Amino acid sequence: MERQRVTANLVLEVFGILCIPIALIISVSNYQLNISAICLIVLIILFPLYLLYYLYTLKTIEFDEDFTYIISVNGNEEKVPFENIKMIKLSIDGINNKSFWRMKYVNSNNEEKSITFVAKVSLKSLSTLIDKIKSKNPNVIFKNFATSFDLD
């Protein structure tokens, strides 16, 4: 089976976030500003930049018949057997009607790791991945709901 991608492409979200500081700079460029206004503008610009960094460092998740592949931004790939995935759950966070999901797994060094990802809008590939994981690992925890009390 050919690999299927689970994670969404966030090009529109990144473009939208980039527009916020640009629009702010253009809108205030004609005004004489005091120090408190400048500090506020800097904070407003730093927040979208932080969001961009966070979205840029999200990993890509692909899968085939037996493995999940976690691909980092720099191209490093981690191959995780379905049996090593412990939990997949919905997070309360999201962006542009796309939800963040969290997956916990045990890597090849027997360390428990957790990653956050944004699934495609259709969720078809995510549900296929979950079905494959459940067939190989019946003990996996799957939660398709989130509460504000989920602290892990």
Side-chain angles (χ1 to χ4, degrees):
M1 173 184 163
E2 187 176 304
R3 284 190 191 182
Q4 291 185 12
R5 183 176 173 153
V6 175
T7 51
N9 190 347
L10 299 174
V11 172
L12 291 175
E13 288 80 4
V14 168
F15 178 74
I17 291 170
L18 276 175
C19 289
I20 294 169
I22 292 170
L24 182 65
I25 291 169
I26 291 171
S27 66
V28 299
S29 63
N30 295 331
Y31 297 100
Q32 187 175 15
L33 302 173
N34 60 20
I35 190 70
S36 60
I38 292 172
C39 290
L40 181 63
I41 290 169
V42 168
L43 287 174
I44 291 172
I45 290 173
L46 286 177
F47 182 70
L49 293 177
Y50 169 75
L51 280 176
L52 284 175
Y53 173 76
Y54 181 76
L55 292 176
Y56 181 73
T57 57
L58 287 177
K59 297 181 179 182
T60 301
I61 297 177
E62 297 176 348
F63 69 95
D64 60 16
E65 286 297 321
D66 298 309
F67 296 97
T68 300
Y69 302 91
I70 301 169
I71 305 160
S72 63
V73 176
N74 62 6
N76 292 340
E77 183 175 281
E78 188 172 3
K79 188 175 177 179
V80 180
F82 290 152
E83 293 84 7
N84 290 2
I85 297 175
K86 303 298 177 198
M87 180 183 70
I88 298 178
K89 72 173 202 163
L90 183 64
S91 171
I92 62 171
D93 301 322
I95 185 168
N96 198 18
N97 291 330
K98 295 177 184 171
S99 298
F100 285 93
W101 291 80
R102 180 162 293 129
M103 181 168 69
K104 287 188 177 181
Y105 63 97
V106 177
N107 68 5
S108 58
N109 296 331
N110 212 21
E111 302 168 329
E112 188 169 293
K113 293 202 159 199
S114 176
I115 63 166
T116 302
F117 65 95
V118 178
K120 291 181 176 180
V121 174
S122 70
L123 298 179
K124 181 181 177 187
S125 58
L126 179 62
S127 63
T128 304
L129 172 64
I130 291 168
D131 291 341
K132 288 185 180 297
I133 292 171
K134 283 182 177 179
S135 70
K136 302 265 182 171
N137 181 4
N139 296 326
V140 69
I141 298 169
F142 173 69
K143 293 182 183 178
N144 60 352
F145 61 90
T147 67
S148 59
F149 299 111
D150 290 337
L151 300 176
D152 56 340

